Amino acid sequence: MDTLIALQNGFATSLSLGNLSAALIGAALGIIVGAIPGLGSVTGIALLLPLTFGMDPTTAVILLAALYYGCMFGGAYSAILLNIPGDAPAVMTALDGYPMAKRGEGGQALFAANLASFIGGTVGIIALSFMGPLLAEIGLMFGPPETAALILLALCSIGWMLGDNVAKGLIATMLGILLAVVGIGSTFGHARFTGGSMHLLNGVSFIPLVIGMFGFSQLLEMMTDRPKPGEGPEQIPLRESIPGRKQVARLVPLSLRSGLIGTFVGILPGAGATTGAFLSYVFQRKIGRNGDQMGKGVVEGVAASEAGNNGAAAGSFAPLLSLGIPGSGTSAVLLGGLMMWGLQPGPLLFTTRPDFVWGLISSMYIGTVMAVIAAMLIIPFLMQILRIPISVLIPVIATVCVFGAYSVNGSMFDVWLMLTVGIAAYYLKVAEYPIAPLVLAFVLTPRLESSIRRSFDISNGDPWIFLSSPISVTLISVICALVVMGVAGAVASRVRVRTART
């Protein structure tokens, strides 16, 4: 009851004209920023933060928070329409969203993404409202050993879950890990695998990599396999793309489930929305009725990943507000903003500044509604992209790829890097190696390395720290089971082949 009263008072704060305008502007900017490859929520908030110095702290954080979960909506647009994920979590959305767009079902994918984003984000906000401090305490149970085990589980799952060939999926995962360790190591500060290049000391930039892997490689496919006039997919009219009752009834349960998974992942320090989207996607693939079709263009894959990353975005506010521990890079930037305004996140924040905390939480409900309305209204304009002739679309995508790669550091090296990995990704696709495991391994490996190193620092080099808690033991047991099942499956398939030959 106290929570409901506090939330009611928070709505009185967030429904003021200034705060309401901040939520609307932030959500709209977030959609735009999220849809532009090369920006993302971290960059968007970092650029907007200096402009909020003179604002009221509550209004400023409402604006920045709205931009954060607005980015979760917008990241799906370029992933679905152009196969260029706007940010890392949208990598999972592209797996099914772009194949749907190629079949003329881009409108369905966009509507499903927005609906799932709204449901997943709302689940995370409700959990934050009623269980914020409790969620933060759960997040504290995941120290470096537990986080390392969780990320290792995700890495071990990637090869099995994404792609039709397990061996090729694992090879792609290993390639992603190798790319992730390029640069100055976080442990000893030595340069690794840079080939003497000064440009690689900070590692391989994520944005040029993902633009090349998805966008430029897709551009090469379009150039080498251009359909003849009249052979392209017939675009489904917008009215027919709007989800009906049966489709909504199918999407709501999986979006609720994926939102819960994403919220749980969001409260874990360092896990982030990418991990939330991936685990939600994998879970849906294992238990969903269309799980075997995911990755080939089904709406369930789009909904699972979008609900998962929006749930994680909302869940990351629990440790941020309750403990002052950022759950992602974006919330780390927000933490700096809070401290700049003289607000000290932690358990006392809920009692010393309830107007700020509950004003922010209540504004997230309003901002999410505004974001989904704005996102739905944009769809008719986005659908026009699918009607652009391929002869026009190819130079447009090429321009987006070059601009997105160059905009990260203002360096032509990133452009050449994007072109190189794009050509490599094209030949990997020709050889039927999946690209998604490579990119996801690239994102998760630095977090794994950091967690392992912190674990050894805590234990003075004793590896038994990874078996010191029930959580890490359980996760490692699951990892061992996955490895055994994979080896057993491979042996069994070889035995069947030999038996069939004889």
Side-chain angles (χ1 to χ4, degrees):
M1 185 62 68
D2 292 340
T3 300
L4 292 176
I5 295 174
L7 193 59
Q8 182 179 358
N9 295 333
F11 274 108
T13 300
S14 61
L15 287 174
S16 67
L17 182 60
N19 292 338
L20 198 61
S21 301
L24 176 61
I25 294 172
L29 286 175
I31 291 174
I32 297 172
V33 169
I36 299 176
L39 292 183
S41 57
V42 177
T43 304
I45 290 179
L47 292 175
L48 194 61
L49 188 61
L51 303 179
T52 63
F53 287 171
M55 299 172 62
D56 177 77
T58 303
T59 304
V61 177
I62 286 175
L63 175 66
L64 297 175
L67 186 143
Y68 183 19
Y69 46 81
C71 283
M72 297 296 105
F73 279 81
Y77 292 162
S78 55
I80 292 172
L81 299 176
L82 302 176
N83 199 32
I84 305 176
D87 53 7
V91 168
M92 304 306 302
T93 306
L95 295 182
D96 288 276
Y98 187 69
M100 290 182 67
K102 289 177 66 176
R103 294 199 305 263
E105 301 171 0
Q108 292 183 0
L110 290 170
F111 275 112
N114 289 332
L115 177 62
S117 295
F118 174 72
I119 295 174
T122 302
V123 168
I125 298 169
I126 292 174
L128 173 65
S129 301
F130 294 93
M131 297 185 296
L134 176 61
L135 290 175
E137 292 296 332
I138 295 175
L140 279 181
M141 297 171 61
F142 279 74
E146 291 80 10
T147 303
L150 179 65
I151 296 175
L152 184 61
L153 173 61
L155 284 173
C156 291
S157 304
I158 289 172
W160 274 277
M161 299 301 177
L162 304 179
D164 298 325
N165 188 303
V166 173
K168 291 183 176 180
L170 290 175
I171 291 173
T173 302
M174 293 303 299
L175 288 174
I177 293 174
L178 289 174
L179 287 174
V181 298
V182 172
I184 296 178
S186 59
T187 303
F188 301 108
H190 295 162
R192 304 179 298 190
F193 311 114
T194 61
S197 173
M198 296 290 293
H199 297 284
L200 292 176
L201 290 177
N202 288 328
V204 177
S205 297
F206 171 74
I207 297 301
L209 176 75
V210 75
I211 290 176
M213 285 285 175
F214 286 91
F216 192 72
S217 66
Q218 185 61 42
L219 180 67
L220 295 177
E221 285 187 25
M222 295 168 65
M223 294 172 64
T224 56
D225 190 23
R226 295 178 62 174
K228 296 179 181 179
E231 288 187 356
E234 182 179 352
Q235 300 299 331
I236 297 176
L238 179 63
R239 183 174 299 177
E240 297 181 17
S241 299
I242 300 175
R245 289 184 179 180
K246 291 184 179 180
Q247 190 175 35
V248 171
R250 194 168 82 246
L251 292 180
V252 168
L254 76 89
S255 297
L256 290 171
R257 181 171 58 246
S258 299
L260 286 172
I261 295 173
T263 300
F264 170 75
V265 174
I267 67 175
L268 306 180
T274 305
T275 309
F278 170 70
L279 293 180
S280 299
Y281 186 93
V282 168
F283 193 80
Q284 178 62 29
R285 181 164 183 169
K286 294 297 291 183
I287 70 169
R289 64 177 184 177
N290 289 334
D292 57 334
Q293 297 298 316
M294 288 177 64
K296 301 176 182 178
V298 293
V299 73
E300 287 84 357
V302 175
S305 58
E306 283 300 301
N309 69 47
N310 277 267
S316 66
F317 281 88
L320 174 65
L321 296 176
S322 301
L323 301 172
I325 300 175
S328 64
T330 307
S331 56
V333 178
L334 286 174
L335 175 61
L338 294 180
M339 299 177 68
M340 178 188 68
W341 289 305
L343 298 169
Q344 184 61 45
L348 295 179
L349 185 64
F350 283 79
T351 56
T352 58
R353 289 299 303 272
D355 56 328
F356 165 78
V357 173
W358 293 106
L360 170 61
I361 294 175
S362 62
S363 75
M364 296 173 71
Y365 289 96
I366 299 171
T368 301
V369 173
M370 291 181 175
V372 74
I373 292 174
M376 292 293 187
L377 293 176
I378 293 173
I379 289 179
F381 301 98
L382 296 175
M383 292 283 286
Q384 302 305 315
I385 296 177
L386 301 176
R387 295 180 171 87
I388 298 176
I390 194 170
S391 58
V392 177
L393 195 59
I394 286 176
V396 169
I397 294 177
T399 303
V400 171
C401 290
V402 172
F403 174 78
Y406 183 80
S407 64
V408 178
N409 298 309
S411 169
M412 281 302 298
F413 177 83
D414 288 336
V415 176
W416 291 114
L417 173 66
M418 181 271 295
L419 296 175
T420 302
V421 298
I423 294 171
Y426 170 75
Y427 285 106
L428 285 174
K429 289 181 181 180
V430 171
E432 299 183 348
Y433 283 85
I435 298 301
L438 190 156
V439 177
L440 289 169
F442 180 84
V443 173
L444 296 176
T445 297
R447 298 171 185 172
L448 174 65
E449 182 181 9
S450 174
S451 298
I452 290 176
R453 181 60 195 174
R454 290 168 59 196
S455 300
F456 281 126
D457 287 341
I458 293 171
S459 66
N460 292 321
D462 187 358
W464 286 104
I465 189 173
F466 295 101
L467 300 176
S468 61
S469 73
I471 295 176
S472 57
V473 169
T474 302
L475 292 173
I476 291 175
S477 300
V478 174
I479 293 170
C480 294
L482 276 175
V483 173
V484 171
M485 289 171 56
V487 173
V491 172
S493 62
R494 289 187 178 182
V495 170
R496 285 195 297 269
V497 170
R498 291 180 180 177
T499 304
R501 290 177 178 176
T502 57

